[in-house]
Amino acid sequence: MKLLVAEDQSMLRDAMCQLLLMEEDVEAIFQANNGQEAIEILGKQPIDVAILDIEMPYKTGLDVLEWARANHPTVKIIIVTTFKRVGYFQRAIKAGVDAYVLKDRSISDLMTTVHTVLAGRKEYSPELMETVMNHDNPLSTQEQRVLELIAAGKTSKEIASQLFLSDGTVRNYTTSIFNKLSANNRVEAINIAQENGWI
């Protein structure tokens, strides 16, 4: 089989590739140190399974996944990450990821995952499933609307006008959002909500 390993930490990527090459059914491994390189390799080479990190320069692993699904739907995609972020996981599932697993696993575990996806099955780390199950959105529907408009760059006055609220009510909602998300400002609140898939 031909694998693509996309990981921006060179030492980790080299170690993974050396260990994977020792597996007898691995014929070749292509390496990418960012998401853009991964897309270029997928566009040129016949890859069976792509193993992608999420946070990489230029394009994330999720961007590569979405590109691959649109352009090379037969390639199996495994996302390997240290992040238990619900928003990342939900985006990957929506895009049709084959496996989404945490990095703290052995190469033999990773090869088991490779064979699982090649057999047409899915695999998700149990820890991630648990995080999703226990991760309720603390924002009310109206607070979500307000935060979505904040994320769209609207001012408090514009939000008040659009939602038929007073300026003071919008400010109260904004304060409540900051408190519920433990955010210090608008940018933090938007980032937290987006990472968790709440807006």
Side-chain angles (χ1 to χ4, degrees):
M1 75 181 80
K2 291 181 178 171
L3 305 178
L4 164 64
V5 174
E7 162 66 63
D8 63 327
Q9 292 178 40
S10 309
M11 200 187 292
L12 179 58
R13 186 180 69 249
D14 289 347
M16 267 177 80
C17 291
Q18 282 174 13
L19 291 166
L20 286 166
L21 270 172
M22 291 164 74
E23 299 288 328
E24 55 187 56
D25 49 353
V26 175
E27 185 186 331
I29 298 181
F30 297 89
Q31 296 190 40
N33 62 19
N34 62 61
Q36 188 56 50
E37 267 186 30
I39 286 173
E40 284 163 17
I41 292 167
L42 284 167
K44 291 176 196 162
Q45 302 292 343
I47 303 292
D48 297 303
V49 181
I51 300 166
L52 311 173
D53 184 27
I54 283 193
E55 297 209 334
M56 294 186 287
Y58 308 117
K59 298 277 185 187
T60 67
L62 294 169
D63 294 332
V64 178
L65 162 65
E66 287 162 353
W67 180 90
R69 282 291 167 263
N71 296 278
H72 294 281
T74 56
V75 176
K76 299 294 183 185
I77 306 282
I78 298 172
I79 283 186
V80 185
T81 184
T82 50
F83 300 101
K84 293 185 188 177
R85 291 182 182 166
V86 174
Y88 283 174
F89 185 47
Q90 288 173 334
R91 184 175 159 195
I93 297 290
K94 201 173 173 184
V97 75
D98 295 289
Y100 193 108
V101 294
L102 295 172
K103 272 185 186 171
D104 59 354
R105 54 184 20 225
S106 67
I107 288 294
S108 64
D109 284 344
L110 185 56
M111 278 309 295
T112 302
T113 302
V114 167
H115 289 125
T116 297
V117 300
L118 283 171
R121 297 192 303 276
K122 304 271 187 190
E123 185 184 327
Y124 312 123
S125 278
E127 300 95 322
L128 285 160
M129 299 303 288
E130 202 175 298
T131 307
V132 171
M133 302 298 279
N134 299 323
H135 218 70
D136 293 333
N137 183 350
L139 303 177
S140 69
T141 308
Q142 192 74 305
E143 285 165 349
Q144 272 179 263
R145 280 199 199 111
V146 168
L147 191 54
E148 278 164 7
L149 292 171
I150 291 172
K154 305 278 186 192
T155 64
S156 290
K157 268 189 179 161
E158 288 169 332
I159 294 168
S161 165
Q162 196 164 328
L163 298 180
F164 306 104
L165 301 168
S166 73
D167 205 9
T169 303
V170 171
R171 281 201 297 273
N172 290 341
Y173 275 129
T174 307
T175 304
S176 173
I177 290 164
F178 289 177
N179 289 338
K180 286 183 178 181
L181 300 183
S182 303
N184 297 310
N185 54 51
R186 287 176 166 222
V187 175
E188 266 186 38
I190 292 162
N191 287 341
I192 291 164
Q194 286 176 338
E195 278 174 11
N196 288 289
W198 295 331
I199 61 167

